[in-house]
């Protein structure tokens, strides 16, 4: 397939690019500048420098694509505007074609829930409360095959914002990493290469549509992953923090999502797509893998 991909130089997007390229798909990467163009070209994509807010230009480019994947995000207050602009362009270009459009989301939209499925109600904290409206609007377009890939906390290959946050945790007087909150909350996690595999499977599956939640089913506690991060960071161990400490360190909105208690097993993806996570857990990556110094 000829696939248009946003965010191809980012953590998840770059792995999707590699996955698609390795499975014979032609990828056109929509990038914002020449620096990003050089990066994605070296990874096998055809770069196009474009403003993702330019709906007519994006829609025109998409007319030559067999499908599209959106993973780009500024990670700030403009994220909702960017997602909305891309969805507008895609729905305009793909209306009535039946072409697939895959839109990235994140597990935080479900709030506190240790048994998350695609049918779970949304209880999105403020940081991600804008996502549902845009995703529902896109999925409501019946003339194309829309899918929302809901990623758990992604890690692997030494990257990812949340693993980096754990490795850079403040330390107590003995040098131990301070956990986010008490550490008893669970996180749903997934290796970034397994996320990329899920995207490819949804793209290639002719009837896959709607929400797919993606997590490896391990659902470790924050205590477990911070203790493992201590090994990678050369710290003697990890100690519990508190909600107040997390909020003071990261701000109310960001702390709120990291204090959520979540879990899933991604049953739909396993059953419908044949998806099986095959990479080490986050704790194993910290202790023995790509995050070791």
């Amino acid at each position: 397939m000829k696939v248009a991909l946003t965010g191809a130089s980012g953590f998840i997007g770059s792995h999707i690019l590699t996955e698609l390229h390795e499975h014979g798909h032609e990828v056109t990467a929509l990038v914002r500048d020449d620096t990003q163009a050089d990066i994605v070209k070296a990874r096998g994509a055809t770069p196009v420098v474009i403003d993702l807010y330019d709906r007519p230009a994006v829609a025109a480019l998409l007319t030559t694509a067999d499908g599209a994947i959106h993973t780009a995000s500024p990670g700030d207050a403009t994220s909702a505007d960017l997602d909305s602009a891309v969805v507008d362009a895609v729905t305009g270009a793909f209306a009535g074609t039946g072409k697939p459009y895959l839109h990235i989301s994140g597990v935080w939209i479900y709030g506190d829930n240790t048994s998350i499925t695609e049918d779970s109600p949304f209880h999105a904290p403020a940081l991600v409360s804008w996502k549902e409206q845009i995703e529902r609007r896109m999925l409501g377009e019946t003339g194309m095959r829309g899918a929302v890939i809901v990623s758990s906390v992604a890690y692997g290959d030494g990257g990812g914002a949340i693993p980096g946050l754990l490795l850079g945790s403040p330390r107590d007087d003995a040098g131990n990493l301070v956990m986010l909150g008490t550490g008893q909350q669970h996180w749903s996690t997934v290796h970034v290469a397994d996320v990329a595999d899920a995207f490819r499977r949804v793209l290639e599956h002719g009837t896959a549509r709607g929400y797919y939640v993606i997590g490896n089913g391990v659902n470790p506690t924050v205590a477990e992953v911070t203790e493992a991060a201590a090994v990678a960071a050369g710290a003697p161990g990890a100690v519990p923090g508190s909600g107040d400490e997390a909020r003071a360190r990261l701000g109310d909105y960001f702390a709120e999502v990291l204090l959520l208690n979540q879990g899933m097993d991604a049953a739909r993806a396993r059953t419908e797509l044949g998806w099986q996570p095959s990479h080490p857990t986050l704790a194993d990556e910290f202790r023995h893998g790509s995050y070791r110094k």
Side-chain angles (χ1 to χ4, degrees):
M1 297 174 66
K2 296 179 179 179
V3 184
L5 172 64
T6 75
S9 63
F11 181 52
I12 291 178
S14 63
H15 285 81
I16 294 173
L17 169 57
T18 298
E19 176 76 10
L20 295 178
H21 185 67
E22 290 180 349
H23 284 81
H25 298 289
E26 298 178 27
V27 179
T28 298
L30 285 63
V31 297
R32 67 173 179 264
D33 55 40
D34 290 338
T35 299
Q36 287 191 340
D38 291 341
I39 292 171
V40 300
K41 184 176 182 180
R43 293 171 175 165
T46 299
V48 175
V49 177
I50 194 168
D51 179 0
L52 292 179
Y53 288 98
D54 188 341
R55 293 170 176 81
V58 174
L61 186 150
L62 290 174
T63 59
T64 62
D66 299 317
I69 298 175
H70 174 51
T71 68
S73 175
D76 58 25
T78 67
S79 296
D81 292 336
L82 180 67
D83 274 15
S84 185
V86 171
V87 165
D88 286 346
V90 172
T91 54
F94 284 4
T97 67
K99 292 179 180 180
Y101 168 63
L102 281 57
H103 186 96
I104 196 167
S105 188
V107 71
W108 295 332
I109 59 176
Y110 293 104
D112 275 314
N113 186 340
T114 56
S115 301
I116 294 169
T117 72
E118 289 79 7
D119 296 323
S120 295
F122 289 85
H123 292 294
L127 186 71
V128 293
S129 61
W130 51 270
K131 287 182 175 289
E132 180 182 2
Q133 181 181 8
I134 296 171
E135 293 164 4
R136 297 291 191 191
R137 174 162 61 87
M138 182 275 290
L139 293 176
E141 295 290 334
T142 57
M144 65 181 197
R145 180 166 65 85
V148 177
I149 314 302
V150 184
S151 177
S152 297
V153 172
Y155 64 88
D157 293 339
I162 304 305
L165 181 68
L166 295 180
L167 292 169
S169 297
R171 303 195 183 203
D172 68 5
D173 292 341
N176 297 297
L177 301 186
V178 177
M179 300 172 192
L180 288 159
T182 64
Q184 296 310 298
Q185 73 272 31
H186 294 80
W187 282 354
S188 181
T189 59
V190 64
H191 194 284
V192 65
D194 289 323
V195 178
D197 178 61
F199 269 90
R200 177 185 59 80
R201 289 172 184 270
V202 172
L203 180 75
E204 295 174 346
H205 195 294
T207 60
R209 63 177 67 241
Y211 280 91
Y212 286 89
V213 295
I214 303 298
N216 61 17
V218 177
N219 307 317
T221 65
V222 169
E224 291 168 340
V225 294
T226 312
E227 288 162 359
V231 175
V239 295
S242 68
D244 288 343
E245 188 279 331
R247 284 184 282 272
R249 187 198 330 170
L250 302 171
D252 290 343
Y253 284 1
F254 194 24
E256 183 180 19
V257 298
L258 297 173
L259 296 172
L260 292 173
N261 190 34
Q262 296 189 310
M264 71 163 74
D265 62 9
R268 185 187 184 199
R270 294 172 189 265
T271 301
E272 294 186 9
L273 306 174
W275 179 79
Q276 291 291 337
S278 60
H279 290 78
T281 67
L282 175 55
D284 285 342
E285 282 281 354
F286 276 141
R287 293 183 183 277
H288 311 295
S290 58
Y291 297 97
R292 288 296 300 269
K293 291 184 177 179

